[in-house]
Amino acid sequence: MTTHSPTPDTGAELLPIATTARTRAALRTLIRPDRGLALTGIGILVAATAVGLLVQPLLGRIVDIVADGRPAGDLTLPVVLLVAVAVVQGLTTTLGLTRIARLGETVLARLRERFVERALNLPADRLERAGAGDLTARVTGDVARVAEAVRSALPEMARSVLAILLTLGALALLDVRFLLAALLAVPVQLLTARWYVRRALTLYADQRVANGAQQQQLLETIGGAVTVRGHRLEEQHTERSAGRSRKAVDLTMRSVNLVLGFYGRLHIAEYIGLAAVLIAGFWLVRDGAVSIGTATAAALYFHSLFGPVNAALVLLDDAQSAAAGLARLVGVTDLADQPEPAAGEPAAGKAAPASVPRQRIASSEAAVTVHAVSHAYGPGRPVLHEVSLTLEPGEHVALVGTSGAGKSTLARIVAGVQQPTSGTVTAPAGTGSAAAGAGEHPVVLVTQEVHVFTGTLAEDLRLARPDASDADLRTALATVHALDWAEALPDGLATVVGEGGHRLDPARAQQLALARLVLADPALAVLDEATAEAGSAGARVLERSAEAALAGRTALVVAHRLTQAVAADRVVVLEAGRVVESGPHDELRDADGPYAALWRAWSGSRTTAPHP
């Protein structure tokens, strides 16, 4: 179960945060595969702690020998045993902490893998509603906080809890009255922990949200700097950034004050407990119930609790902060498993399905069938209205229409990236030879926003087909007319591209994406304005590349330029989320309809506009 987090100051609907119960269940699921490692590590730590508890009675024995005036030779055995205890405890503690640390890193790696896998499958409109800052804050800050807790807090917490339990048991073995005296500190410690936990979880969650809002504002301001300056909005954006920064700082200072109050209460508990044990020791020694050495061992036992008790309670700070971060990460992983609630008003008063399963069909049947698909990005924001469309095998269909007509939304739904609010989509069963495992990748979507991953050009291409040989890579590049410039790079296919590497201009980056499409060899290719970023100079080159990449496969193309519509087998015109025309280019051009108007406007602008 998750809770959704709207942010009043941004208007964004943040990604959900998992409840405490759901977070604990997710943590158990992550640990379950390594239960053996967990039990072994805890068992070794129990042994190490038990051995370490021999130090106090040995020191008490030394006190008794000295108090009784015995020969110095009687001290030899206790001293030798102290050295042996130190060696054994050191070795076993190291081994136990190593296993606990290995458990933590394994669980952390599993969490990261699951988070990345689920985040990549989140609906595009859900990410748009949340904003990039929220997801960025979770990927960076929350993962880092959980990682820090796993590497430092988890081993220390395990050792501290074991030390506390075993030390209290040792006090009871000395004399149960020592244990009762020591327990006088517990009410103060429990009240301190409760006081802290009740405030910390909410505070740290609010702090994460504030940091996400701050990052979102910075991303918007920096990413849109040209627009901000062009509209003279510097002052407004500076005020927004400052306001969100102040909120983040205020929450940080509140957390600092919370920690200071937490430490102060712990010191009071230590004073109460130690005073009670010393007074109990005084009375018991005076009555002859215990020896001075035993009373000394009891005082040392309680004093040794300062470290683990304070560590365990102080680690609540890290634990609560990590728990808040983990809840935000689990919220994202759960969101990918849950159907999106229907955002629009369902037809005929019936609840529309929030997630429509995509059926697979044989390649001999219709490649894609879209039936009565509607979609809305929020209440009162419909984008598509009962769109029906069929793509026959090998057919190239161009989607055209004005901005906001719903072309990209329909393309994402056909590609399976976006789930419709209602309606059904029947997808092909993928016959591409490179598809992993008989149709696991039947559809490939290429958009105008192409990311060049950091690594060699060959590695970037193999993202689409990991087992591709160098010859396969060169064939794919040659197909999209990119082999010449690829081989002209400083190190050819081994040239490092992406962040910090050789920069590829938009046209070459788009050819790289089209080469990936060729390598993936899908049954259906969806191009969403894939040539838009090239500009006029590279448009013709990219259109040739796209045409070559689409040869022999079914294609749905969101046309940025109507030359793509001319080359298509069929043109589908969208207006306000509805199909208003469908047919070959020549037929629609000669008709006095929406497409003819678009064609006249486009061809007229090409005739009158100066060439660059």
Side-chain angles (χ1 to χ4, degrees):
M1 180 179 180
T2 57
T3 57
H4 293 268
S5 307
T7 51
D9 58 336
T10 66
E13 181 188 341
L14 296 185
L15 295 168
I17 300 174
T19 61
T20 302
R22 177 66 194 110
T23 303
R24 289 173 180 167
L27 187 58
R28 287 194 295 270
T29 301
L30 290 169
I31 294 176
R32 189 173 294 121
D34 297 291
R35 284 174 296 181
L37 182 61
L39 292 174
T40 303
I42 292 174
I44 295 174
L45 283 180
V46 168
T49 305
V51 170
L53 292 178
L54 295 175
V55 171
Q56 288 82 357
L58 287 172
L59 290 175
R61 179 65 177 167
I62 291 174
V63 169
D64 282 337
I65 291 173
V66 174
D68 294 342
R70 298 180 190 176
D74 290 352
L75 296 175
T76 302
L77 180 60
V79 171
V80 171
L81 290 175
L82 281 174
V83 174
V85 165
V87 172
V88 173
Q89 184 186 25
L91 293 175
T92 52
T93 299
T94 299
L95 181 59
L97 290 178
T98 299
R99 290 186 172 273
I100 294 295
R102 183 180 302 170
L103 170 68
E105 290 295 336
T106 303
V107 171
L108 179 62
R110 191 174 294 123
L111 173 64
R112 281 173 166 163
E113 291 169 1
R114 185 177 180 187
F115 178 83
V116 172
E117 176 188 356
R118 302 302 174 84
L120 290 174
N121 289 317
L122 288 177
D125 61 327
R126 187 64 185 85
L127 287 178
E128 289 169 2
R129 295 201 304 271
D134 186 33
L135 186 62
T136 301
R138 299 188 191 214
V139 171
T140 55
D142 292 324
V143 170
R145 175 60 67 183
V146 173
E148 181 182 350
V150 164
R151 292 181 180 128
S152 59
L154 178 62
E156 186 62 29
M157 176 68 84
R159 186 173 64 172
S160 297
V161 170
L162 290 173
I164 292 168
L165 295 176
L166 293 178
T167 301
L168 291 176
L171 277 173
L173 289 176
L174 292 179
D175 193 295
V176 72
R177 286 167 287 189
F178 285 126
L179 175 61
L180 295 176
L183 292 178
L184 291 177
V186 172
V188 179
Q189 292 167 335
L190 291 179
L191 289 173
T192 298
R194 183 184 178 189
W195 172 85
Y196 175 77
V197 169
R198 292 178 63 181
R199 290 162 175 78
L201 189 57
T202 301
L203 179 58
Y204 284 123
D206 290 344
Q207 195 173 359
R208 293 283 182 274
V209 170
N211 288 337
Q214 182 187 30
Q215 289 194 32
Q216 177 67 27
Q217 182 61 50
L218 291 174
L219 286 172
E220 290 178 352
T221 301
I222 295 172
V226 175
T227 303
V228 170
R229 287 195 296 268
H231 290 274
R232 300 297 183 185
L233 298 175
E234 296 93 338
E235 185 175 348
Q236 292 93 321
H237 275 258
T238 300
E239 289 177 357
R240 290 177 191 170
S241 298
R244 293 180 187 175
S245 295
R246 281 194 299 271
K247 184 174 181 179
V249 170
D250 289 343
L251 288 170
T252 300
M253 293 309 300
R254 283 176 56 190
S255 67
V256 170
N257 290 331
L258 182 66
V259 171
L260 291 176
F262 178 66
Y263 277 110
R265 287 167 172 78
L266 287 185
H267 292 325
I268 294 173
E270 290 174 1
Y271 173 80
I272 293 173
L274 184 57
V277 170
L278 289 174
I279 292 172
F282 171 77
W283 287 105
L284 291 174
V285 170
R286 193 187 68 171
D287 293 344
V290 299
S291 67
I292 296 176
T294 301
T296 301
L300 290 174
Y301 269 137
F302 186 82
H303 188 273
S304 70
L305 282 175
F306 286 6
V309 168
N310 288 350
L313 293 176
V314 167
L315 286 174
L316 284 174
D317 179 61
D318 292 333
Q320 293 303 313
S321 181
L326 183 60
R328 285 161 56 83
L329 297 177
V330 172
V332 172
T333 61
D334 282 354
L335 181 63
D337 289 335
Q338 299 170 353
E340 281 285 290
E345 293 293 332
K350 295 182 180 180
S355 179
V356 180
R358 296 171 58 80
Q359 306 170 21
R360 289 185 174 183
I361 58 177
S363 60
S364 60
E365 301 177 21
V368 175
T369 300
V370 178
H371 178 67
V373 161
S374 297
H375 189 70
Y377 287 115
R381 296 174 56 196
V383 178
L384 297 176
H385 304 272
E386 297 190 350
V387 173
S388 293
L389 176 67
T390 299
L391 280 73
E392 299 297 336
E395 184 181 24
H396 290 185
V397 174
L399 278 180
V400 302
T402 58
S403 179
K407 304 185 298 296
S408 293
T409 300
L410 180 59
R412 289 202 298 263
I413 289 174
V414 171
V417 174
Q418 185 75 51
Q419 291 292 345
T421 301
S422 64
T424 59
V425 178
T426 304
T431 57
S433 61
E440 291 183 12
H441 304 289
V443 184
V444 169
L445 170 67
V446 179
T447 69
Q448 61 180 314
E449 298 175 356
V450 176
H451 183 75
V452 179
F453 292 88
T454 301
T456 66
L457 182 63
E459 291 170 342
D460 209 308
L461 288 166
R462 286 193 176 99
L463 290 171
R465 185 175 155 196
D467 62 344
S469 65
D470 285 351
D472 294 330
L473 302 185
R474 289 187 172 87
T475 299
L477 289 168
T479 300
V480 298
H481 312 292
L483 183 59
D484 289 343
W485 66 255
E487 291 188 330
L489 293 175
D491 297 310
L493 296 180
T495 301
V496 175
V497 295
E499 188 70 27
H502 186 89
R503 183 180 177 277
L504 299 182
D505 60 40
R508 290 183 174 182
Q510 200 64 252
Q511 285 182 309
L512 174 60
L514 292 171
R516 289 194 202 120
L517 185 151
V518 172
L519 286 167
D521 194 16
L524 169 67
V526 180
L527 270 58
D528 184 6
E529 298 189 348
T531 63
E533 293 295 318
S536 300
R540 286 185 293 273
V541 174
L542 269 188
E543 286 173 8
R544 285 198 309 124
S545 298
E547 184 179 354
L550 298 179
R553 68 183 92 253
T554 308
L556 179 66
V557 179
V558 177
H560 177 68
R561 295 175 177 83
L562 289 189
T563 50
Q564 295 169 294
V566 174
D569 299 316
R570 182 159 51 101
V571 179
V572 173
V573 183
L574 286 181
E575 275 192 4
R578 291 180 171 87
V579 175
V580 294
E581 277 190 310
S582 177
H585 161 75
D586 291 338
E587 178 182 315
L588 296 184
R589 181 196 58 192
D590 295 338
D592 189 17
Y595 182 77
L598 286 172
W599 177 260
R600 286 193 297 268
W602 183 79
S603 57
S605 66
R606 285 174 57 85
T607 301
T608 59
H611 292 285

